[in-house]
């Protein structure tokens, strides 16, 4: 009966569920933001170290200050093309991030937001941008700090025919090698529900550790 706020599954919203104010720390695993949300408010997910993935819908246009700081288990995140503003320190110190997908061909202007990706490993974390937009991101404020910017097709996946590709050892315990790659590739691991667990750039015969994956997934 509150006239200003509402709650769904323990997450705090405004009454109309267009603003997400707070996702409490006890909420863990994968969380999908409702498709009615337009604004992720300041500090919305701050300190939630139990979330492994957050799905941001295309309804969202703004991401607030320090909104994801402390979400230490996040390894990948997609920033929808609907987003036009990101607050300072929004992804502060997310050292576990290995991939950021941005389907917008025009980089979000971050000139008025300080240190959006401060202390994100900009060498290990790959920034994926739409085909034809790499040069724009290499010139854009803060986006250009990422050392590995790769182009991808937001509406689909690349397909490359190879005569033989294999993983070893089999079964996998702590990690595996990929045999059969001609040069470089993009590896994506997902669980049976389709949730992405790991995305990274790989080279021929590179060792892929899976020690960071939850028990029951490996």
């Amino acid at each position: 009966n509150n006239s200003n706020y509402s709650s769904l599954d323990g997450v705090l919203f405004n009454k109309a569920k267009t603003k997400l104010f707070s996702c409490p720390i006890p909420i863990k695993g994968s969380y999908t933001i409702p498709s009615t949300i337009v604004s992720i408010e300041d500090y919305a997910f701050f300190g939630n170290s139990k979330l492994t993935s957050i799905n941001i819908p295309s309804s969202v246009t703004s991401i607030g200050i320090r909104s994801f700081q402390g979400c230490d288990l996040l390894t990948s995140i997609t920033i929808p093309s609907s987003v036009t503003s990101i607050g300072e320190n929004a992804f502060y110190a997310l050292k576990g991030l290995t991939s950021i997908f941005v389907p917008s061909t025009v980089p979000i202007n971050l000139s008025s937001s300080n240190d959006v990706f401060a202390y994100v490993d900009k060498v290990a974390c790959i920034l994926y941008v739409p085909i034809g937009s790499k040069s724009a991101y290499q010139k854009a404020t803060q986006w250009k700090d990422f050392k590995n910017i790769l182009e991808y097709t937001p509406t689909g996946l690349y397909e490359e025919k190879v005569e033989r590709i294999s993983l070893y050892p089999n079964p996998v315990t702590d990690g595996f090698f990929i045999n059969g790659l001609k040069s470089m590739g993009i590896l994506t691991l997902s669980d049976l529900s389709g949730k992405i667990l790991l995305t990274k750039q790989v080279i021929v015969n590179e060792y892929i550790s899976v020690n960071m994956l939850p028990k029951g997934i490996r």
Side-chain angles (χ1 to χ4, degrees), residues 9 29 98 116 126 135 171 203 212:
D9 298 326
T98 58
V116 170
I126 301 173
S135 60
I203 58 176
M212 81 294 292

Side-chain angles (χ1 to χ4, degrees), residues 150-168:
L150 298 181
E151 295 184 337
Y152 80 114
T153 305
T155 56
L157 299 174
Y158 289 118
E159 293 186 0
E160 180 180 358
K161 292 184 178 180
V162 294
E163 293 185 358
R164 183 176 300 172
I165 189 167
S166 61
L167 307 180
Y168 67 94

Side-chain angles (χ1 to χ4, degrees), residues 133-191:
S133 63
K134 180 177 179 178
S135 60
Y137 279 87
Q138 287 176 323
K139 299 173 184 176
T141 301
Q142 297 190 58
W143 299 109
K144 64 183 180 182
D145 297 335
F146 288 88
K147 304 305 179 185
N148 292 301
I149 301 177
L150 298 181
E151 295 184 337
Y152 80 114
T153 305
T155 56
L157 299 174
Y158 289 118
E159 293 186 0
E160 180 180 358
K161 292 184 178 180
V162 294
E163 293 185 358
R164 183 176 300 172
I165 189 167
S166 61
L167 307 180
Y168 67 94
N170 189 9
V172 173
T173 53
D174 297 321
F176 59 89
F177 294 89
I178 301 178
N179 184 35
L181 284 176
K182 294 180 180 179
S183 55
M184 182 186 72
I186 298 174
L187 170 71
T188 300
L189 297 179
S190 62
D191 63 15

Side-chain angles (χ1 to χ4, degrees), residues 23-124:
C23 180
I25 292 176
I27 293 179
K28 60 184 180 180
S30 178
Y31 178 71
T32 297
I33 296 173
S35 59
T36 57
I37 298 301
V38 175
S39 174
I40 299 173
E41 297 295 294
D42 298 347
Y43 301 92
F45 292 89
F46 185 93
N48 194 318
S49 59
K50 297 182 179 181
L51 283 172
T52 55
S53 67
I54 299 173
N55 300 309
I56 305 174
S58 57
S59 57
V60 171
T61 60
S62 66
I63 296 175
I65 295 170
R66 296 183 185 268
S67 48
F68 294 102
Q69 180 179 340
C71 297
D72 297 331
L73 293 185
L74 291 182
T75 59
S76 180
I77 196 160
T78 298
I79 302 173
S81 55
S82 56
V83 173
T84 57
S85 67
I86 302 178
E88 63 182 37
N89 297 123
F91 301 98
Y92 184 90
L94 298 189
K95 297 180 181 179
L97 277 182
T98 58
S99 59
I100 298 173
F101 292 83
V102 188
S104 176
T105 56
V106 179
I108 301 167
N109 187 348
L110 302 179
S111 59
S112 60
S113 299
N114 296 325
D115 300 322
V116 170
F117 302 102
Y119 298 105
V120 170
D121 189 336
K122 298 177 185 65
V123 175

